Amino acid sequence: PARRIGHGIPAGALPRGPGALRDAGPGGAGLPPGLDAPHGPLRRPLRAEPLLYLGTGGGKLLLFSLATPSSPEFLRLLPIGATRPVSAILPLPSVARVLVLADGMLLLADPLLARPVRRLGSLRGVAAVAASPPASSQSSCSLAVAVGKRLLVLDLALREADELEVQTREIAAGVEGISALAWVGEDSVFAGTASGYSLFSSSGGAGQRTDIFTLPESAGAPRIRPLSGGQEVMLLVDNVGVVVDQSGQPVGSSFVFNSRPDCIVEVFPYVVVAAESKVDVYRRRNGVHLQTVPIARRGTGVLTVASDGDGSGGEVVVVATAYKVFCYRKVSAVEQIKALLRIKSYTEAISLLEEFESDGEISNDMISFVHAQLGFLLFFDLRFEDAVNHFLLSETMQPAEIFPFIMRDPNRWSDLVPRKRYWGLHPPPKPLEEVIDDGLVTLQRALFLKKAGVDTVVDEDFLSNPPTRADLLELAIRNIIRYLCVSREKSLSPAEMEGVDTLLMYLYRALDLVDDMEKLASSQNSCVVDELESLLDNSGHLRTLAFLYGSKGMCSQAVAIWRILARNYSTGLWKDRPNLPGTDSQETSADKKSGEEIAAIEASKILQATSDQDLVLEHLGWVCASCCGPDLIVSCFIIL
């Protein structure tokens, strides 16, 4: 099952949903009967095949297949000598070998452990070994080897008939007590001793040494781990990991671990460390602690963790205890966000989405998908402003997805609405009134549960200050208006544009936003007149209807309404609207025109633009009778 991140989180760190690592299956792989416990190394090879190498303290190599991580399959056992405990395993794919450090000697095995191991050179007392970063186009690699006080480089080249050519050269002498090595970049070899860390050039001669920093006397043994595919390296100082570049200069953030690690691996974008019978997961970019996975009881021995060799593309983390091998898979960004949304941890989900976006771990389409999903969840939680903010951040969301909240199905735009529920985390769209009523019922239930001492996922602000139905309905309508107004600027199909403008008029009318209605109706728009005629007529918004008729070229209907309005203005049945849409509201009282004259002016504009002479003769009389200025009289003569 998924493990929640948050166990053992330091102060100030945010919990992160299900965690970055998840069990790959119901259990681990037991070791074959009769084998002694794993000792130190286990490595996944840099190969296409999902193989796992395991070394034991009794001098054995084990090979597992991870084709199905939920059930690792034991493939082969290769004895290398009962008195040779394995202390390091390095897959060398460029030369088709696996390097084993056992009892101070370097041994070579074939990748499938099908043949006995062969000794590499005659070196004895090898304290540490590191391989150069793999080069996919070459059949060669190099090893940095610490022997006594010398630091050597072994250049390996694969020749015909699977023969291996080996050349040895010395790059440093007189170096006391090297116990850790890492090869970073093309020729940077980092070495750790009891006194500190140093940097050597693999291409230089003996004596080219740069001391990076000295360890305090009380510090534990040095530990070095390459990061970022072998371009950076982490140097451990007790429980602090300092990241440096190929030149030994600090880069990025330091890591402060909960305890001194036994083993460190990188599984981008995470750093995974094993210590004190548990595995901790940290974010590679900023060192934030994300997750703790308990593995075994305290005091059961050193844990070993492994991933793909370069740490950049691995999906599986392998953990070895004394008698078990466990596989954990990296939980994808999408799964982590989905789990947070499922428990309505919106703030954490947004924070995680931003981190994944900055790290390039999530595609732009998925970012848009998540914003749309967030929007719908917040919408059904009655957080309408936040919901629309996320709708506007989604580049792939279609305005038609909002239509069912405004107009009931079936309607002329029903076929435009995508029948998708995203991750199935919210109910199907339904009219705003029902969304609000259901949400208020949920709030009432949450208030009851809170009084009973039961935690709920409902917003605490709503619980402490419950909103009214009327306020919520107005807030929802105003925010949907905001979304549709932005949608009008997008490239939409004619049918979508008709839906956006028509439903926008519905919403303006619901809040009696007369100026907005008239501005939309008098401008270039895609409103469907058939859908709005009865609505505007029955609600008395005749000016809006007249503007709408005029914008659609329905001159006869538009002028007829202006004539009705002019008569009603003259009898005092209509209140004057002194300003036309778009006119300056600062004009003086002397400049303001009566409603009757405004109606005549609007009718004259239509008559001047039409070629219908019968229509002109039918209405010219009342237009001239209503005019009270020379400009309009001149317009009438122009029409004649």
Side-chain angles (χ1 to χ4, degrees), residues 297-321:
R297 291 190 298 271
R298 289 183 178 272
T300 56
V302 175
L303 293 180
T304 307
V305 295
S307 70
D308 287 78
D310 64 356
S312 60
E315 295 293 328
V316 177
V317 175
V318 183
V319 183
T321 67

Side-chain angles (χ1 to χ4, degrees), residues 21 216 231 279 382 463 529:
L21 297 183
Q231 300 305 308
V279 170
L382 309 185
L463 293 178
V529 176

Side-chain angles (χ1 to χ4, degrees), residues 83-94:
T83 60
R84 295 177 180 173
V86 178
S87 53
I89 302 175
L90 297 177
L92 305 175
S94 57

Side-chain angles (χ1 to χ4, degrees), residues 202-221:
S202 65
S203 59
Q208 292 192 1
R209 170 179 177 175
T210 302
D211 291 329
I212 302 175
F213 58 81
T214 302
L215 290 171
E217 293 184 1
S218 59

Side-chain angles (χ1 to χ4, degrees), residues 125-434:
V126 176
V129 62
S132 60
S136 57
S137 61
Q138 298 180 3
S139 296
S140 62
C141 67
S142 298
L143 304 173
V145 181
V147 183
K149 296 183 179 182
R150 297 188 302 160
L151 184 57
L152 307 177
V153 170
L154 306 184
D155 296 314
L156 311 182
L158 190 63
R159 303 305 183 193
E160 295 182 1
D162 201 33
E163 290 296 324
L164 200 61
E165 180 182 308
V166 182
Q167 295 182 353
T168 304
R169 49 194 172 91
E170 184 176 285
I171 62 171
V175 185
E176 192 76 45
I178 295 178
S179 59
L181 287 173
W183 194 311
V184 180
E186 293 185 3
D187 67 349
S188 296
V189 177
F190 288 82
T193 68
S195 59
Y197 293 99
S198 301
L199 172 61
F200 300 88
S201 172
S202 65
S203 59
Q208 292 192 1
R209 170 179 177 175
T210 302
D211 291 329
I212 302 175
F213 58 81
T214 302
L215 290 171
E217 293 184 1
S218 59
R223 201 174 298 279
I224 309 174
R225 179 66 194 184
L227 301 177
S228 302
Q231 300 305 308
E232 296 174 350
V233 66
M234 179 186 293
L235 308 177
L236 194 66
V237 183
D238 285 331
N239 68 321
V240 177
V242 180
V243 181
V244 300
D245 60 17
Q246 299 176 33
S247 302
Q249 298 298 317
V251 293
S253 303
S254 297
F255 291 76
V256 180
F257 302 121
N258 291 335
S259 55
R260 191 176 190 283
D262 296 326
C263 193
I264 305 170
V265 298
E266 181 185 24
V267 185
F268 186 83
Y270 310 108
V271 170
V272 181
V273 303
E276 297 183 352
S277 303
K278 66 183 186 301
V279 170
D280 288 295
V281 183
Y282 297 81
R283 180 163 286 280
R284 170 69 178 88
R285 180 168 57 87
N286 52 20
V288 171
H289 179 267
L290 299 178
Q291 182 182 11
T292 296
V293 182
I295 300 295
R297 291 190 298 271
R298 289 183 178 272
T300 56
V302 175
L303 293 180
T304 307
V305 295
S307 70
D308 287 78
D310 64 356
S312 60
E315 295 293 328
V316 177
V317 175
V318 183
V319 183
T321 67
Y323 303 102
K324 283 271 189 175
V325 176
F326 296 93
C327 293
Y328 290 82
R329 67 179 180 88
K330 184 172 70 175
V331 178
S332 69
V334 171
E335 287 186 79
Q336 293 187 52
I337 293 171
K338 185 192 298 185
L340 287 169
L341 294 181
R342 189 173 287 113
I343 59 176
K344 297 194 175 185
S345 296
Y346 300 137
T347 301
E348 290 83 355
I350 293 168
S351 175
L352 196 60
L353 178 64
E354 291 172 350
E355 289 184 10
F356 287 139
E357 185 176 4
S358 64
D359 289 341
E361 297 177 50
I362 190 168
S363 67
N364 289 333
D365 284 347
M366 183 52 65
I367 291 171
S368 291
F369 181 96
V370 172
H371 279 301
Q373 174 67 94
L374 264 165
F376 282 113
L377 287 169
L378 291 166
F379 200 92
F380 281 98
D381 280 355
L382 309 185
R383 294 168 56 178
F384 301 113
E385 184 175 359
D386 292 335
V388 169
N389 289 341
H390 283 285
F391 288 153
L392 294 175
L393 289 173
S394 175
E395 297 179 359
T396 57
M397 182 173 168
Q398 304 170 39
E401 297 181 57
I402 297 297
F403 293 175
F405 292 107
I406 307 170
M407 181 176 284
R408 289 184 181 275
D409 281 334
N411 57 65
R412 70 167 66 217
W413 298 287
S414 294
D415 291 340
L416 295 179
V417 181
R419 303 302 177 185
K420 59 184 178 183
R421 293 270 302 282
Y422 292 86
W423 285 323
L425 301 182
H426 65 267
K430 51 191 170 184
L432 275 175
E433 294 85 349
E434 294 182 19

